[in-house]
Every structure is written in structure tokens, then in C-alpha cells.
Amino acid sequence: MGEKGTVWLPEGVSTLAPEIDSLFYFVFWVSVVLFLGVVSTMAYLAFRYRRRSPREIPAPVKESTLLEVAWVTVPVILVLIVFNWGFKSFIALGVAPPDTYDIQVRGRQWLWEFEYPNGTIATNELRVPVDRPVRLIMSSTDVIHSFYVPVFRVKQDVVPNRYTNVWFEATRTGEFDLFCTEYCGTQHSGMLAKVIVLSQGEFDAWVESGGGDLENLPLPEYGAMLYQQQACFTCHSTDGSVTIGPSFQGLFGSQRQLANGQTVVADENYIRESILDPQAKLVQGFPPVMPASYSALNERQVSALIAFIQEQQ
Ligand code: CUA
């Protein structure tokens, strides 16, 4: 297996990957051998014992004890090997070593939020140190999501009202895909994130910096950052295309036709209310699917988003 992985599996970038992969390939090759063996024997026998004339009557078949014992014991042995191997890997995946670095993960419609021990929070970018076991303590603020990083060979449901966890130890630095693999609503397929594996030094510096000093940016730039971070882009475009929600292009100052028949002007107060209480003034033609979770944004963040929307003309 090279750096790029194979047709069957992507590159493995965690300490557990070789174990998972060898089990996968064992099951795979056993299946290939059995499949070819069964199908070719079947084809051969069908040809060998084909009916040669309409009046041909075959001799009675006598069972072979040896054959019957073989086709019971060989599969049982194979299944026990796979069970034993799989159970060991399952335990290794499930039980984290004692000295892990812990990160809190929150899934919500439709983004991932990561919180580090010193309070640093990041969205849709999970930074972890290389060569160090990392444990994720995961929860959901709404529906069931699933945390999946193919190169680490870890996948775990993220559910409301309880914690689940995974652990992994990355074996090289780089940037890798993180997917949500549980259907969680209209923008499930857009719930994409990155895992960024850094050297211990780079990682420490990043965590110490609090993930970059966003608070001091000018409002429109801070808003642009929040537009990405809070995953507004999954539902609201800035180029006029209509997806789940209205596009931000030309939104500010325009007349909005509401579902209840009224018309309002999209000024600062209207946008503020629509962020904090999305169902208060629903625009005609759009479903009431915006999560209420944005009410957790602080005043400066709301102002920043309004300033950003104002610029999308
Ligand atoms: Cu979250 Cu699918």
C-alpha cells in the first residue's frame, strides 16, 4: 500500500490503520478465493454433467461424509478467525490509551465545532498533533450525526443527550477529509470538514494563539470568516443562486415577501431578527429549516454578519 492508498482503501494515516486494513484484506481475499472456487466448480460441473439426451436418467447421488465435514468445518474456522481478529481490533479502536489529548467535538446542523482544553474553539477544521493519541469526546446539539475520517479508519455516531468517543494517533502531518456519515437533514452532504495534522510545536502555537485573533478584525472581514465558520454558506449563497435559503446577494435593503403575505424591508433589524429567531419572519417560498442555534452568537458576531451581508450587492 503506497501513500495514495489503493482502489479499496485510502492511505492509512493512523497507528490503527494497518490492523484494520489487514483484517479487511484478509476477508476480501478469502471472499475472492471462495467466490472463484465456487463459481468455477459450479460452471465445470454444470458442463461436465449436462444432459446429453432427452431420455437420460442420472444415477442416484450418494453423500460424501468427508465433503460434508469439510464444508462445515472450513467455514467455521474462517468465521472464528475473522471474529477473533475483528473483536481484538474493535477493542483496540474502542479503548483509548491513558495519556490521550482530549478535544470536545460538537456536531450540529450543519457543521462541526471543536473545543480545546484551553477554550480555543474552531469550526470545520480539526487540528491535532502528530504522533500523539487524541481522544474526541463527541456530542450533538440537535440530531444524529456521524464522525468519519477515512484515513484514520474511525467512524462513530454523534448523538444528542450523550457522549460518544473515538481516539486515533496520526502518523504523519497533512490535511485530510472529515465527513458526516449519518443523514442529518437537507445539508447533510455539505457537512464537510478537514482534519489538519500538525507537528507538536505548530499545534501548541496554534492552540495558544486561540486559533488566531478573530475578534479584532474589522466587522465585514470578521463576518466573512463567520460566514464560513458558522457554515452559513451551506444554505445561503453570495452569488444569487438559490439553495436551501435565500441568497445573500442583493439581500440588504431589498423588499422581502413573507410567507404570511406581509412585505418587509431587509434592514439591520430584520436581518438581526432572522439570524437570532429564524422563524419570526419567514420569506415566502422557503421551508422553516434554519436551526435556532444561531441565537448563541454574540452581539459583535451578529453585527459582523450583517456587515458582511450588506457588502453582498
Ligand atoms: Cu451531520 Cu449528516
Short mmCIF file of all heavy atoms in Angstrom, two decimals, residues 274-307:
data_model
loop_
_atom_site.label_atom_id
_atom_site.label_comp_id
_atom_site.label_asym_id
_atom_site.label_seq_id
_atom_site.Cartn_x
_atom_site.Cartn_y
_atom_site.Cartn_z
N SER A 274 -33.74 37.73 11.90
CA SER A 274 -33.75 36.50 11.11
C SER A 274 -32.61 35.55 11.49
O SER A 274 -32.72 34.34 11.32
CB SER A 274 -33.67 36.83 9.62
OG SER A 274 -34.81 37.57 9.24
N ILE A 275 -31.51 36.12 12.00
CA ILE A 275 -30.40 35.27 12.46
C ILE A 275 -30.76 34.65 13.82
O ILE A 275 -30.61 33.45 14.03
CB ILE A 275 -29.09 36.08 12.59
CG1 ILE A 275 -28.60 36.53 11.20
CG2 ILE A 275 -28.00 35.25 13.29
CD1 ILE A 275 -27.44 37.51 11.24
N LEU A 276 -31.26 35.49 14.72
CA LEU A 276 -31.48 35.04 16.10
C LEU A 276 -32.77 34.24 16.27
O LEU A 276 -32.87 33.36 17.11
CB LEU A 276 -31.48 36.25 17.05
CG LEU A 276 -30.17 37.05 17.06
CD1 LEU A 276 -30.28 38.26 17.96
CD2 LEU A 276 -28.99 36.17 17.48
N ASP A 277 -33.78 34.58 15.45
CA ASP A 277 -35.08 33.90 15.56
C ASP A 277 -35.58 33.64 14.13
O ASP A 277 -36.45 34.35 13.63
CB ASP A 277 -36.06 34.78 16.34
CG ASP A 277 -37.40 34.09 16.54
OD1 ASP A 277 -37.51 32.89 16.22
OD2 ASP A 277 -38.34 34.76 17.01
N PRO A 278 -34.99 32.62 13.47
CA PRO A 278 -35.18 32.45 12.02
C PRO A 278 -36.64 32.31 11.57
O PRO A 278 -36.96 32.66 10.44
CB PRO A 278 -34.42 31.15 11.73
CG PRO A 278 -33.51 30.95 12.88
CD PRO A 278 -34.16 31.58 14.06
N GLN A 279 -37.50 31.83 12.46
CA GLN A 279 -38.89 31.59 12.03
C GLN A 279 -39.79 32.82 12.20
O GLN A 279 -40.95 32.78 11.80
CB GLN A 279 -39.48 30.41 12.81
CG GLN A 279 -39.41 29.06 12.08
CD GLN A 279 -38.01 28.58 11.78
OE1 GLN A 279 -37.46 28.90 10.73
NE2 GLN A 279 -37.40 27.82 12.68
N ALA A 280 -39.26 33.89 12.78
CA ALA A 280 -40.09 35.06 13.09
C ALA A 280 -40.68 35.68 11.82
O ALA A 280 -41.86 36.00 11.77
CB ALA A 280 -39.28 36.09 13.86
N LYS A 281 -39.84 35.89 10.80
CA LYS A 281 -40.33 36.45 9.54
C LYS A 281 -39.83 35.57 8.40
O LYS A 281 -38.77 35.81 7.84
CB LYS A 281 -39.82 37.89 9.37
CG LYS A 281 -40.39 38.86 10.41
CD LYS A 281 -40.27 40.30 9.92
CE LYS A 281 -41.01 41.28 10.83
NZ LYS A 281 -40.37 41.45 12.15
N LEU A 282 -40.63 34.58 8.08
CA LEU A 282 -40.23 33.60 7.08
C LEU A 282 -40.50 34.12 5.67
O LEU A 282 -41.62 34.53 5.37
CB LEU A 282 -41.01 32.31 7.33
CG LEU A 282 -40.41 31.03 6.80
CD1 LEU A 282 -39.04 30.77 7.42
CD2 LEU A 282 -41.36 29.88 7.12
N VAL A 283 -39.46 34.11 4.83
CA VAL A 283 -39.65 34.59 3.46
C VAL A 283 -40.41 33.54 2.66
O VAL A 283 -40.18 32.34 2.81
CB VAL A 283 -38.28 34.89 2.81
CG1 VAL A 283 -38.44 35.23 1.33
CG2 VAL A 283 -37.60 36.03 3.53
N GLN A 284 -41.33 34.04 1.82
CA GLN A 284 -42.17 33.16 1.03
C GLN A 284 -41.33 32.23 0.14
O GLN A 284 -40.36 32.66 -0.48
CB GLN A 284 -43.08 34.00 0.13
CG GLN A 284 -44.22 33.20 -0.44
CD GLN A 284 -45.27 34.10 -1.03
OE1 GLN A 284 -44.95 35.06 -1.73
NE2 GLN A 284 -46.52 33.80 -0.77
N GLY A 285 -41.71 30.97 0.10
CA GLY A 285 -41.05 30.02 -0.78
C GLY A 285 -39.91 29.25 -0.15
O GLY A 285 -39.28 28.43 -0.81
N PHE A 286 -39.62 29.55 1.13
CA PHE A 286 -38.53 28.82 1.79
C PHE A 286 -39.06 28.04 2.99
O PHE A 286 -39.91 28.52 3.73
CB PHE A 286 -37.43 29.79 2.24
CG PHE A 286 -36.70 30.39 1.08
CD1 PHE A 286 -37.04 31.66 0.61
CD2 PHE A 286 -35.71 29.69 0.41
CE1 PHE A 286 -36.39 32.22 -0.47
CE2 PHE A 286 -35.05 30.24 -0.67
CZ PHE A 286 -35.39 31.50 -1.13
N PRO A 287 -38.55 26.80 3.18
CA PRO A 287 -39.01 26.00 4.32
C PRO A 287 -38.41 26.52 5.63
O PRO A 287 -37.34 27.13 5.61
CB PRO A 287 -38.45 24.60 4.00
CG PRO A 287 -37.25 24.86 3.14
CD PRO A 287 -37.54 26.12 2.37
N PRO A 288 -39.09 26.31 6.75
CA PRO A 288 -38.59 26.80 8.04
C PRO A 288 -37.54 25.86 8.62
O PRO A 288 -37.74 25.26 9.66
CB PRO A 288 -39.85 26.82 8.91
CG PRO A 288 -40.72 25.76 8.33
CD PRO A 288 -40.40 25.65 6.87
N VAL A 289 -36.40 25.75 7.94
CA VAL A 289 -35.40 24.76 8.37
C VAL A 289 -34.16 25.34 9.04
O VAL A 289 -33.30 24.61 9.51
CB VAL A 289 -34.92 23.88 7.18
CG1 VAL A 289 -36.05 23.01 6.69
CG2 VAL A 289 -34.34 24.72 6.08
N MET A 290 -34.07 26.69 9.10
CA MET A 290 -32.86 27.25 9.72
C MET A 290 -32.84 26.93 11.22
O MET A 290 -33.79 27.20 11.93
CB MET A 290 -32.80 28.75 9.49
CG MET A 290 -31.59 29.39 10.14
SD MET A 290 -31.14 30.94 9.36
CE MET A 290 -30.22 31.72 10.67
N PRO A 291 -31.71 26.32 11.70
CA PRO A 291 -31.65 25.96 13.12
C PRO A 291 -31.69 27.20 14.02
O PRO A 291 -31.22 28.27 13.63
CB PRO A 291 -30.30 25.26 13.26
CG PRO A 291 -29.76 25.09 11.89
CD PRO A 291 -30.49 26.00 10.97
N ALA A 292 -32.24 27.02 15.22
CA ALA A 292 -32.33 28.13 16.17
C ALA A 292 -30.99 28.39 16.86
O ALA A 292 -30.84 29.35 17.61
CB ALA A 292 -33.40 27.83 17.21
N SER A 293 -29.99 27.50 16.57
CA SER A 293 -28.73 27.56 17.32
C SER A 293 -27.95 28.86 17.14
O SER A 293 -27.08 29.19 17.94
CB SER A 293 -27.85 26.37 16.95
OG SER A 293 -27.73 26.29 15.56
N TYR A 294 -28.27 29.65 16.10
CA TYR A 294 -27.53 30.89 15.88
C TYR A 294 -27.86 31.95 16.92
O TYR A 294 -27.21 32.99 16.97
CB TYR A 294 -27.75 31.40 14.46
CG TYR A 294 -27.17 30.47 13.43
CD1 TYR A 294 -27.98 29.60 12.73
CD2 TYR A 294 -25.80 30.43 13.21
CE1 TYR A 294 -27.44 28.69 11.82
CE2 TYR A 294 -25.25 29.54 12.31
CZ TYR A 294 -26.07 28.68 11.62
OH TYR A 294 -25.52 27.79 10.73
N SER A 295 -28.87 31.69 17.74
CA SER A 295 -29.17 32.64 18.81
C SER A 295 -28.04 32.70 19.82
O SER A 295 -27.98 33.59 20.66
CB SER A 295 -30.48 32.26 19.50
OG SER A 295 -30.37 30.97 20.03
N ALA A 296 -27.10 31.72 19.71
CA ALA A 296 -25.95 31.72 20.63
C ALA A 296 -24.85 32.69 20.18
O ALA A 296 -23.89 32.91 20.90
CB ALA A 296 -25.39 30.30 20.73
N LEU A 297 -24.98 33.29 19.00
CA LEU A 297 -23.97 34.25 18.53
C LEU A 297 -24.02 35.48 19.43
O LEU A 297 -25.09 35.90 19.89
CB LEU A 297 -24.28 34.67 17.09
CG LEU A 297 -24.13 33.59 16.01
CD1 LEU A 297 -24.62 34.14 14.67
CD2 LEU A 297 -22.69 33.12 15.89
N ASN A 298 -22.84 36.10 19.65
CA ASN A 298 -22.85 37.31 20.47
C ASN A 298 -23.14 38.54 19.59
O ASN A 298 -23.19 38.45 18.37
CB ASN A 298 -21.57 37.44 21.29
CG ASN A 298 -20.34 37.64 20.41
OD1 ASN A 298 -20.40 38.30 19.37
ND2 ASN A 298 -19.23 37.06 20.82
N GLU A 299 -23.32 39.69 20.24
CA GLU A 299 -23.73 40.89 19.51
C GLU A 299 -22.74 41.28 18.41
O GLU A 299 -23.12 41.67 17.32
CB GLU A 299 -23.92 42.07 20.47
CG GLU A 299 -25.22 42.04 21.24
CD GLU A 299 -26.47 42.08 20.34
OE1 GLU A 299 -26.41 42.67 19.25
OE2 GLU A 299 -27.49 41.50 20.74
N ARG A 300 -21.45 41.15 18.73
CA ARG A 300 -20.46 41.56 17.72
C ARG A 300 -20.48 40.62 16.53
O ARG A 300 -20.31 41.04 15.38
CB ARG A 300 -19.05 41.64 18.34
CG ARG A 300 -18.03 42.17 17.35
CD ARG A 300 -16.82 42.83 17.98
NE ARG A 300 -16.11 43.61 16.98
CZ ARG A 300 -15.18 43.10 16.17
NH1 ARG A 300 -14.84 41.84 16.27
NH2 ARG A 300 -14.59 43.86 15.26
N GLN A 301 -20.73 39.35 16.80
CA GLN A 301 -20.79 38.39 15.70
C GLN A 301 -21.99 38.67 14.80
O GLN A 301 -21.90 38.60 13.58
CB GLN A 301 -20.86 36.96 16.26
CG GLN A 301 -19.55 36.52 16.90
CD GLN A 301 -19.65 35.17 17.59
OE1 GLN A 301 -20.63 34.90 18.27
NE2 GLN A 301 -18.64 34.34 17.42
N VAL A 302 -23.13 39.01 15.42
CA VAL A 302 -24.32 39.34 14.63
C VAL A 302 -24.05 40.59 13.79
O VAL A 302 -24.34 40.62 12.59
CB VAL A 302 -25.55 39.53 15.55
CG1 VAL A 302 -26.75 40.02 14.74
CG2 VAL A 302 -25.90 38.23 16.26
N SER A 303 -23.45 41.60 14.41
CA SER A 303 -23.12 42.83 13.67
C SER A 303 -22.18 42.52 12.51
O SER A 303 -22.31 43.09 11.42
CB SER A 303 -22.45 43.85 14.59
OG SER A 303 -23.25 44.11 15.70
N ALA A 304 -21.23 41.63 12.76
CA ALA A 304 -20.27 41.28 11.71
C ALA A 304 -20.97 40.61 10.54
O ALA A 304 -20.70 40.91 9.37
CB ALA A 304 -19.19 40.36 12.28
N LEU A 305 -21.90 39.72 10.83
CA LEU A 305 -22.63 39.03 9.75
C LEU A 305 -23.50 40.03 8.98
O LEU A 305 -23.58 39.96 7.74
CB LEU A 305 -23.50 37.90 10.33
CG LEU A 305 -22.72 36.62 10.63
CD1 LEU A 305 -23.55 35.64 11.46
CD2 LEU A 305 -22.26 35.94 9.33
N ILE A 306 -24.12 40.97 9.68
CA ILE A 306 -24.93 41.98 8.99
C ILE A 306 -24.04 42.81 8.07
O ILE A 306 -24.38 43.05 6.91
CB ILE A 306 -25.67 42.88 10.01
CG1 ILE A 306 -26.71 42.05 10.78
CG2 ILE A 306 -26.33 44.06 9.31
CD1 ILE A 306 -27.36 42.77 11.95
N ALA A 307 -22.86 43.19 8.58
CA ALA A 307 -21.93 43.98 7.77
C ALA A 307 -21.48 43.20 6.53
O ALA A 307 -21.35 43.74 5.43
CB ALA A 307 -20.71 44.38 8.61
#
